[in-house]
Amino acid sequence: TGPIQPITYELSEGGNALVVNNLPAGLSYTFDSSNILTISGNLSGDVSSGTTYTYEVEVSGGCGDGNKVYGRISIDADSELDLVVANSANQSLCEGDEIEDIILQLGGGAVAAEVIGMPSGLTTQYDASTRKFTISGSIAENITVNTAYPFEVKTTGNACATAASPEATVPITIEVLPKQRLELVSPTSTTNQVVCEGTPIVNVAYDYLDGITSADISWDQNPGGLNFDPASGVLSGTPAVNVTQPTTYNYTITSVGNNLCGDQVSGSITINPLPKIIPPPNTNIEICEGQAIPNIVFGFTGTSNAQVANLPNGLTYLVSDNTVTISGVPSIDIGSEVSISYTVSTIGSICGPEDSESGTITFKPDGNLQSQGSLIQTICEGGTISPVTFNWYGGATSAELIWSS
């Protein structure tokens, strides 16, 4: 809205005066002695789109009384620009974070919009169907101190824009806080380590940058024995946990500093178990010659395989599901008690040394009986038999005579 160019009408004949009806607010007219009617003034009120007002000029008095002519005044609207979310024009965020989308609604005679002084990393999008202008993205600047980025959004394309009634603008300010930074100074391989049970880890060390004053560590499960120094940023020590299979312990180090833009790093410590043979209660057994032994079942951990050495002939072993089963019938011939030692040991372990356990199988010989003299005799009643002598050996310690009848 604003001043219009004066509009004039002349009364030529047939009337006494001219009057105007339905003028929009802010306009008025005059009729002078020269029979000239002039419409002028400043249109008042806001319009959000192009608006046309129709007015009428009517002859008053005389023979032409009531005669009318019509005119139109078309108004192009000023540009309008409004934030959809009021507080989105002033944001404070951490370095590298996405801004909350800034959405502006265009109105009036605005055709499009532009951004003046927008920092790198932000992008714009205009939807002509909704007349919404959107700014999004993250500011791509590396900073070490709190930094403000002021810029403005300005409408474009309004043919009615003048110095007195310029395009609409909205100021924007984004404050970016420097992100704290944990920088690894130990070898990259230290963040995720694999160690043997009872072995110290290689120290994991971080430098504190961009406002970090200390840091905290958290574990999904704590292996114990490891120490994190919040002042120096060093993780060290020897895991205290006992494991029977490879086990991974995950940690997260979180910075503490002078703003809310903390940093986090993660890593893991995987502990491989030492190899171990688990003996059964019947490690040492005694059996009679020629008999099957009861199964002897050893367990083992810290590896996937094991072996048995020095088993007597006739005995075998089977490795399955972290167990070693010794079974069979010894095929040895002995004349006296014999003890044979065997050894079960782990093989192929990641962490050494290999473990072993020994056992003993004691074999007792069969009892043997030898006779001298005739075992079948026929004598007369009251007669004397021929002597028969018996000798025993092997596992026998005595003998007894049993009559069948």
Side-chain angles (χ1 to χ4, degrees):
T1 57
I4 66 168
Q5 294 182 353
I7 304 170
T8 60
Y9 289 88
E10 181 180 4
L11 178 62
S12 58
E13 59 185 20
N16 298 329
L18 294 175
V19 295
V20 182
N21 301 315
N22 301 325
L23 278 179
L27 300 186
S28 60
Y29 69 91
T30 60
F31 184 72
D32 61 21
S33 59
S34 300
N35 290 337
I36 301 297
L37 179 139
T38 301
I39 300 173
S40 62
N42 289 288
L43 288 166
S44 61
D46 292 328
V47 293
S48 58
S49 60
T51 303
T52 298
Y53 297 95
T54 300
Y55 63 90
E56 62 183 22
V57 179
E58 181 180 2
V59 176
S60 176
C63 295
D65 185 55
N67 288 337
K68 298 178 181 179
V69 294
Y70 295 91
R72 291 184 178 85
I73 299 174
S74 296
I75 302 173
D76 289 331
D78 292 338
S79 292
E80 296 178 0
L81 188 63
D82 297 300
L83 288 163
V84 173
V85 178
N87 60 1
S88 63
N90 295 283
Q91 300 185 32
S92 181
L93 48 88
C94 294
E95 181 181 2
D97 288 354
E98 298 275 334
I99 68 168
E100 176 189 349
D101 284 359
I102 303 170
I103 304 173
L104 301 109
Q105 180 67 61
L106 276 68
V111 175
E114 63 181 357
V115 183
I116 301 170
M118 184 173 70
S120 62
L122 299 184
T123 60
T124 64
Q125 183 178 13
Y126 179 60
D127 186 340
S129 63
T130 61
R131 303 184 75 187
K132 283 185 168 59
F133 185 83
T134 302
I135 302 171
S136 59
S138 61
I139 295 177
E141 301 286 346
N142 293 321
I143 59 173
T144 57
V145 296
N146 294 2
T147 303
Y149 295 90
F151 56 97
E152 70 175 15
V153 182
K154 179 182 179 181
T155 58
T156 61
N158 191 336
C160 291
T162 64
S165 183
E167 295 281 5
T169 60
V170 171
I172 308 290
T173 300
I174 306 295
E175 182 186 30
V176 181
L177 310 180
K179 187 174 180 62
Q180 300 165 21
R181 188 158 54 94
L182 290 164
E183 183 176 87
L184 182 70
V185 293
S186 58
T188 304
S189 59
T190 60
T191 58
N192 298 289
Q193 296 186 42
V194 180
V195 299
C196 290
E197 185 179 357
T199 302
I201 68 169
V202 178
N203 287 0
V204 187
Y206 284 90
D207 264 355
Y208 294 166
L209 303 175
D210 297 335
I212 298 177
T213 56
S214 66
D216 297 320
I217 192 169
S218 60
W219 296 87
D220 61 347
Q221 50 180 341
N222 195 330
L226 298 181
N227 176 66
F228 179 73
D229 183 356
S232 66
V234 176
L235 175 65
S236 61
T238 301
V241 68
N242 294 319
V243 296
T244 58
Q245 60 186 1
T247 306
T248 298
Y249 300 84
N250 299 297
Y251 64 86
T252 300
I253 298 174
T254 304
S255 68
V256 177
N258 55 14
N259 62 31
L260 298 178
C261 301
D263 193 13
Q264 276 191 341
V265 293
S266 298
S268 64
I269 305 296
T270 298
I271 303 173
N272 286 324
L274 295 175
K276 183 171 181 58
I277 294 291
I278 305 168
N282 63 337
T283 300
N284 303 306
I285 62 172
E286 294 182 354
I287 63 167
C288 292
E289 181 182 0
Q291 291 182 349
I293 69 168
N295 287 356
I296 306 172
V297 182
F298 285 80
F300 62 88
T301 60
T303 185
S304 60
N305 205 359
Q307 64 183 5
V308 183
N310 204 38
L311 278 179
N313 291 337
L315 297 186
T316 61
Y317 69 91
L318 174 67
V319 178
S320 177
D321 296 330
N322 288 94
T323 62
V324 180
T325 302
I326 302 171
S327 62
V329 180
S331 56
I332 62 173
D333 188 16
I334 58 175
S336 59
E337 182 174 294
V338 174
S339 293
I340 298 178
S341 295
Y342 64 92
T343 301
V344 181
S345 58
T346 58
I347 56 175
S349 303
I350 297 174
C351 298
E354 301 290 358
D355 190 30
S356 64
E357 290 284 345
S358 295
T360 301
I361 301 175
T362 300
F363 298 95
K364 295 185 176 297
D366 291 339
N368 291 314
L369 191 64
Q370 188 177 48
S371 65
Q372 293 179 342
S374 177
L375 295 177
I376 301 174
Q377 299 181 35
T378 302
I379 62 172
C380 293
E381 184 179 0
T384 301
I385 69 171
S386 298
V388 180
T389 301
F390 293 92
N391 297 310
W392 53 84
Y393 59 92
T397 58
S398 65
E400 64 178 329
L401 182 63
I402 302 173
W403 295 97
S404 60
S405 61

